[in-house]
Amino acid sequence: MEKTLNPKKKGMLITFEGGEGSGKSTQIQILYDALKREGRSVFLTREPGGTKLGEKIRDVLLDRKNASITPLCETLLYMASRAQIVEEIIRPELEKGKIVLCDRWLDATVAYQGYGAGVNVKWIEQVGKMTTGFVRPTMSLFFDLPVADGLGRLRGKRALDRMEKKSVYFHQKVRNGFLAIARREPGRFRRIPLQESDTIDQVHAKVMNILRDIL
Ligand code: TMP
């Protein structure tokens, strides 16, 4: 039988955000493995992507050949992938009582397309409410590594995708967007300050420290 630490708790959504090369995808996998080992009922997914259709949209969005995509078109494609994953995966998993871990969420659209690319943030939030069907994360973690360090980690490893290739200035604006969300919603959107020298285990300990109360 599945062990549940707190059987009264219903499903909850926890999302991970951060700049390029911040290590959030490594950390979400480590958290997933840790919760699984504890016998928790947990589901890991990502967006854009997470569904067959969403992964196709992801390919379009990250393809360097699509450099001419407009900010509005880009915004709507991220929203389209999200609309699909919410109804196909996230809501059903939450209804089963699972802890759903999602690598990125609507906050990324606010930060990247809103603060980064200049799309109206209020409009993004409105469309976002419809797109997410009012599903809201219980908690969101923002992995805040200095922009130059994050981009530096990626360089030389592999060909950068369309978003990673954008200027340092763009990525600074994205970070400002995440910081603004953290100021507006300090209870939900929790900043984890990171340094280049932090080990994977040290960052995981910070994650567990923040999530302990809700888990
Ligand atoms: P990833 O880095 O989490 O794999 O996400 C893929 C890229 O898409 C990353 O550069 C962030 C970007 N992104 C947006 O620009 N807007 C969004 O709404 C989402 C979910 C991701």
Side-chain angles (χ1 to χ4, degrees), residues 21-90:
S22 65
K24 70 173 172 49
S25 302
T26 304
Q27 286 298 328
I28 204 167
Q29 182 69 52
I30 291 173
L31 174 63
Y32 172 80
D33 293 341
L35 293 174
K36 270 263 175 219
R37 270 198 308 277
E38 282 184 14
R40 304 296 295 267
S41 194
V42 56
F43 190 92
L44 172 62
T45 190
R46 70 168 178 184
E47 55 140 305
T51 63
K52 261 193 178 166
L53 188 65
E55 291 295 329
K56 286 186 180 169
I57 297 173
R58 180 184 181 94
D59 288 344
V60 170
L61 279 164
L62 300 187
D63 187 344
R64 293 151 57 118
K65 290 203 272 313
N66 293 330
S68 66
I69 192 167
T70 69
L72 192 54
C73 176
E74 178 178 294
T75 303
L76 291 168
L77 285 173
Y78 279 112
M79 291 288 189
S81 169
R82 185 167 301 129
Q84 189 67 27
I85 197 178
V86 167
E87 295 311 326
E88 192 179 321
I89 308 273
I90 293 181

Side-chain angles (χ1 to χ4, degrees), residues 16-21 24-25 46-48 58 61-62 74-75 78-79 82 103-113 161-164 170-171 174:
F16 278 34
E17 296 289 356
E20 311 301 325
K24 70 173 172 49
S25 302
R46 70 168 178 184
E47 55 140 305
R58 180 184 181 94
L61 279 164
L62 300 187
E74 178 178 294
T75 303
Y78 279 112
M79 291 288 189
R82 185 167 301 129
D103 194 343
R104 296 215 186 267
W105 187 247
L106 177 61
D107 301 300
T109 314
V110 171
Y112 278 81
Q113 284 65 51
D161 67 35
R162 191 181 64 83
M163 301 303 289
E164 292 163 345
F170 173 85
H171 288 289
V174 170

